[in-house]
Amino acid sequence: MTTHTVLIVDDEPDIRDLLEITLSRMGINTLTAPDVGTARTLLQEHSPQLCLTDMNLPDGNGIELVQWIQQHAPATPVAVITAYGNMETAIESLKAGAFDFVSKPVELPRLRELVSSALKLSEPALAPDTTDDEPGLLLGNSQEIKRLRNQVRKLARSQAPVFISGESGSGKELVARMIHLQGPRRDAPFVAVNCGAIPSELMESEFFGHKKGSFTGATDNKDGLFRSADGGTLFLDEVADLPLAMQVKLLRAIQEKAVRPVGETKEFPVDIRVLSATHKDLPALVQNGDFRQDLFYRINVIELAVPALRDRPDDVKLLANHILGRIAREYECEPATLTAEAIARLQAYNFPGNVRELENILERAFTLCDAELIGENDLHMGNAPIIADSRSSADADEARNNGGASNVPEGEMDLEGYLETIERTAIEKALEATRWNKTAAAKRLGISFRALRYRLKKLGME
């Protein structure tokens, strides 16, 4: 079993003793230093797996030591001990590169959590490697994506809140997931939530949970998203869509590292890393009073910009082939190949919807092309989606006899479900008419065999 070493930097002997005793009970060796100068010498001589430093030291401060460690011992994470309630100093230390912070008076359970999390960074899988450019979920060979992957690796070694900015469909959630997977919380939950998709009246319950019987419909206790992510990462997508009342409660939960479920009288501690994202201009929303400035500063300790797909056209071919391979595996079909003309067309396209739009274009082309090759004309880019008429000739005759009308239900309806029912019925009739010969059924429906296979898989009819 590997024994870890932690360097404690504090000019108060009582604090050093308290930290030494706590860490020794965790089976950790300790080194101590009363000032920045001694700390630098010990860091160079012993290469400890973690440095815990006070903010105020006789010959400097903790942030100066953080900056020195970033330059001379980047493999050593450093956590800063700050004065109680001094959030500005804590945020400044995180921006300088600190792994995390803990406030005085030091709460020992919180300290033990921080130390355990930081020491995971010394594991081989999380050790820094300047030559490694494993793409993971972030595919591409362009300088823009390589720079992003490098930033993600660095941020994964910190607990600082990260605000991920970028256009819709550019892959902000993938970036958040990679930060989580490459960091010390990788074995704990990654919980992603779209803040714009939760009704405002349910937000508090969704985020913080509720106690059974606290309101009508609360038939059981519910943990909520914060407690579900305990020990891991909570990703707040489209955070700009949070109403102001919820922003206040979210800020308190992040600062206090605790939540109070609806109907409860006590708070529950949570240990999470918060990542957030939006495609909106958050500083402009702060300026207009639509987003709280104090919450903005709390979640935007470090900003990470995700490049648009149009800014890295050289990655389009690689991404397209990866997406087509995934679609083929998902629907158990033979993979399709893009022609040179199709690739050129994709690379020249502006992609307002970014990678998500590329996925949609390729999925549609995959299902509608007749051969194993996807040509330029199969892409239908910049146009409304072309939907193959999957009604059988009998259905078409019936529609014509009814003056083109169909049995559309009155009032509110589930459009997706309604269209799926029509499609399912048409396919079933075509298969029955051809005695379940899929090739003949596809011809009867006026679609390719590939398109039929895709629809059968999508509708769960295989």
Side-chain angles (χ1 to χ4, degrees), residues 23 52 90 124 140 152 164 169 171 175 292 319 338 341 409:
L23 296 182
L52 283 171
V152 164
I164 304 168
V175 170
R292 290 183 63 95
L319 287 169
L338 289 161
E341 293 76 17

Side-chain angles (χ1 to χ4, degrees), residues 108-306:
L108 297 184
R110 161 79 179 125
L111 176 67
R112 284 190 283 266
E113 283 178 358
L114 184 154
V115 170
S116 297
S117 184
L119 292 179
K120 288 180 183 177
L121 292 174
S122 62
E123 296 174 4
L126 296 177
D129 184 351
T130 55
T131 63
D132 178 37
D133 189 33
E134 173 61 38
L137 301 174
L138 302 175
L139 297 176
N141 296 318
S142 64
Q143 288 305 310
E144 290 81 4
I145 205 71
K146 286 181 178 179
R147 190 180 305 114
L148 179 64
R149 284 199 294 263
N150 186 48
Q151 291 172 318
V152 164
R153 279 195 299 276
K154 288 181 179 178
L155 293 177
R157 294 179 57 79
S158 164
Q159 293 303 290
V162 178
F163 174 67
I164 304 168
S165 60
E167 297 178 5
S168 291
S170 57
K172 296 187 291 297
E173 184 173 339
L174 285 182
V175 170
R177 201 173 287 275
M178 282 303 294
I179 292 174
H180 171 78
L181 290 174
Q182 293 185 346
R185 297 176 180 268
R186 60 179 180 171
D187 296 325
F190 175 87
V191 178
V193 53
N194 186 330
C195 298
I198 305 175
S200 56
E201 64 272 13
L202 297 178
M203 273 193 174
E204 189 171 359
S205 170
E206 287 295 316
F207 276 102
F208 309 136
H210 61 245
K211 186 177 180 181
K212 181 180 178 181
S214 56
F215 55 85
T216 304
T219 55
D220 291 296
N221 291 333
K222 181 176 181 177
D223 284 343
L225 295 165
F226 268 75
R227 292 172 69 191
S228 296
D230 194 27
T233 302
L234 179 62
F235 174 54
L236 303 173
D237 198 7
E238 298 305 341
V239 70
D241 292 340
L242 286 172
L244 285 168
M246 190 62 204
Q247 291 176 28
V248 178
K249 294 172 182 176
L250 180 64
L251 174 64
R252 188 181 187 284
I254 292 173
Q255 290 191 161
E256 299 299 323
K257 298 182 184 291
V259 296
R260 179 182 295 170
V262 177
E264 272 285 3
T265 56
K266 62 178 181 179
E267 290 189 331
F268 294 85
V270 287
D271 170 32
I272 61 171
R273 184 180 190 183
V274 175
L275 307 177
S276 55
T278 184
H279 71 281
K280 296 181 179 178
D281 186 345
L282 209 52
L285 293 176
V286 171
Q287 193 74 26
N288 295 334
D290 295 321
F291 197 87
R292 290 183 63 95
Q293 187 176 52
D294 46 7
L295 178 58
F296 173 69
Y297 287 137
R298 192 67 188 89
I299 63 174
N300 190 31
V301 173
I302 298 172
E303 182 172 352
L304 184 60
V306 181

